[in-house]
Each structure stands twice: as structure tokens, then as C-alpha cells.
Amino acid sequence: MKTLVLGASGQLGQCLKAVASNRNIDTLDFPDESVANILDVEKLKALFAEKKPAYVINCAAYTAVDKAEDDVDLCRLINKQGALNIALLCKEFGAKLVHVSTDFVFEGAIPELLKEDDLAEPISIYGLTKLEGETDIIDNLKEHYIIRTSWLYSEYANNFVKTMLKLGADRDELNIIADQIGSPTYAIDLAGAILDVIASGKTEYGVYHYSNEGSISWFDFAKGIFDISNTQVKVSPIPTSAYPTRASRPKFSVMDKTKIKATFGIEVPYWRDSLIKCIEQLSVLDKA
């Protein structure tokens, strides 16, 4: 089953490549953006015609959450129109789509586990455009798996874990937000879950939630990073109000993962266990 990965150079794309290699899966194709730009319909159509994928994994997205508030048109073009372009081509060529979305589609005002069919009320342009992309996929392609995730990190690209390790090496003290609650997601784990969904061959299409188990604040996350990496830095909790950002974030975005676990038999690791693996891998890479 040929699988086409769009957004292959990003964090999740690189993790998919690593997991596929570890599992000896040779059916994934990771085209360069020069031939797989989700906004260039003609080039994308030519790619579909050449590769004839059975599955398409869309990792491409505009993810600069704060910048999106002032860059609305480009953010919407990528997250909404790009998703629609892919869905229509999947329909034309008979491919199934795995589309990665976000916890930012929720307002996050109530401290209760978020289920797939809970009301989505985004409070940022990023969240709104990702929801619009979801809606366009649902309206135009039956054969879709939309997987919402949160707080993505890995040994690849820029992310919170790598930022904290860098800051911790340069500073003695850091202030980290303690009143935003969510679940970190090791992108390697998410990549594995995506490949498990495809390998299952199941056709229970729809929206699914995936993040690592557990619910913590960014403050807790930072403390865990420094504890596991033996980095000596004082971390102090602060409220969101003490660190204003251009875009609003959900206060509580812990997602219920019952559906994806029950449907595909996926085991979801605890956040700290996965964080240990990531930091160990980063240490190996640093020594290489």
C-alpha cells in the first residue's frame, strides 16, 4: 500500500520517516515540497497520478500560532484550502486520507476530557483555520481519519523540549506558565499510531484524538524535562496573564483517547515515559 506523506520535512514527517525505517516499512513516500506543495494543485495532481497512493498522510500546516493572528490569509490558505485540495485529490484518485489536526479547535474553558464530538469553539486564528480544514475534509471525502493531537515534540525541528533544554543550559532561572493544562505528545508515538491506523485496514472513518497519557501544565512539563535531563535550573510557575501572547490558548485541552484505543487497539504511552525516550535520543544525537 503506497502511502504519500505531505509535509515530509516537518517534525511529524521526519518522525514518520524514522518510525517507518525502524519498522522496515518501505511503502511510504516522502516527496520534497517542490513537487508536493499542497497549494499547487496542478503539481500535486501530477504527484498523485504518478504515485497512485492508497493512503495520504497530511502533516503540512501553518503552525505559527501567534503569527497567524496577523497572517490570517496565508494561515487559512494552508490550513483550510490546502486541506481541501488534498481531500479533493484523494477523492479523485481513490486514496484514503490521514489528516493531522489540533487541540486548538477547542476553547478549553471547562476542565473536562475533550471527546471527538464535543463542540469545537476555537479562540485563535490557527485553531479556527484548522477546524475549517477539518470541516472541508469531512464535507468532501468520506474516507478520512482526522487525528487531533497536542503539544507535539520530538528530537526533530523546533519544539518545547528542545527550547527548554537550550534555555536551561544558558539560564539559572525560568518562569513557565502553570495554568494551561494539556497533554504532551511525543511525535514518534503519534507517527507510530498513524502507521498503526493505516496497517489496521479498518474503515471506521472519522475524527480521533491522540496524545500521550496524563494531564500536566507547561510548568510541569518543563520541570519534567529538567529533571530527566539533570539540568540544574530553578523553574517558577506563573499565570498566563504574566506572559501575554498574540493568540489565546486553551486553558484545558486534555483529550479523551478512548475512541482511537478501542477502534485500532492502540496503546498510548504515559507522557513522562515518552519524554525520557526523547531526551535519551537527543543525548545520543548530541554525542554523534
Side-chain angles (χ1 to χ4, degrees), residues 132-146:
E132 290 170 347
E134 287 187 13
T135 301
D136 281 351
I137 290 169
I138 292 167
D139 289 345
N140 289 279
L141 179 69
K142 175 186 175 184
E143 296 82 5
H144 67 264
Y145 311 89
I146 294 171

Side-chain angles (χ1 to χ4, degrees), residues 1 13 18-19 22 40 50 61 66 71 125 127 136-137 159 167-168 170 175 190 192 204 209 219 221-222 250 278 282:
M1 294 184 299
V19 174
N22 288 338
D40 190 331
E50 177 191 353
D66 291 314
D71 204 8
I125 293 298
D136 281 351
I137 290 169
N159 55 70
L167 290 175
D170 296 334
N175 297 324
L190 175 59
E204 280 83 353
H209 287 170
F219 168 75
F221 196 12
C278 180
L282 282 167

Side-chain angles (χ1 to χ4, degrees), residues 63-194:
T63 58
V65 177
D66 291 314
K67 189 178 179 183
E69 296 296 309
D70 300 307
D71 204 8
V72 180
D73 291 344
L74 180 58
C75 184
R76 176 165 282 119
L77 195 61
I78 295 171
N79 291 345
K80 174 179 163 62
Q81 186 61 50
L84 177 60
N85 292 343
I86 296 165
L88 292 175
L89 285 172
C90 283
K91 186 174 184 178
E92 180 178 349
F93 286 89
K96 300 176 177 66
L97 174 60
V98 181
H99 176 75
V100 181
S101 192
T102 173
D103 60 323
F104 273 62
V105 301
F106 295 109
E107 179 183 15
I110 302 172
E112 295 179 358
L113 286 179
L114 294 162
K115 294 182 171 58
E116 287 83 355
D117 57 358
D118 283 344
L119 180 64
E121 293 184 302
I123 55 177
S124 67
I125 293 298
Y126 167 66
L128 176 61
T129 58
K130 288 296 287 183
L131 180 61
E132 290 170 347
E134 287 187 13
T135 301
D136 281 351
I137 290 169
I138 292 167
D139 289 345
N140 289 279
L141 179 69
K142 175 186 175 184
E143 296 82 5
H144 67 264
Y145 311 89
I146 294 171
I147 302 180
R148 294 172 179 154
T149 192
S150 61
W151 298 22
L152 211 60
Y153 72 92
S154 70
E155 51 268 37
Y156 303 102
N158 296 318
N159 55 70
F160 186 78
V161 172
K162 292 174 75 174
T163 297
M164 287 298 105
L165 289 172
K166 183 177 180 179
L167 290 175
D170 296 334
R171 302 185 189 179
D172 296 323
E173 185 173 352
L174 291 169
N175 297 324
I176 307 294
I177 291 173
D179 59 353
Q180 292 176 22
I181 308 299
S183 299
T185 307
Y186 187 24
I188 289 287
D189 292 339
L190 175 59
I194 289 171

Side-chain angles (χ1 to χ4, degrees), residues 11 15 28 32 58 71 83 94 96 118 130 139 141 162 165 172 175 180 191 215 217 227-228 233 244 252 258 264 279:
Q11 177 172 215
C15 288
L28 270 66
D32 186 82
N58 181 33
D71 204 8
K96 300 176 177 66
D118 283 344
K130 288 296 287 183
D139 289 345
L141 179 69
K162 292 174 75 174
L165 289 172
D172 296 323
N175 297 324
Q180 292 176 22
S215 59
S217 69
D227 177 50
I228 292 166
V233 57
F252 187 92
T258 302
F264 301 103
I279 290 176

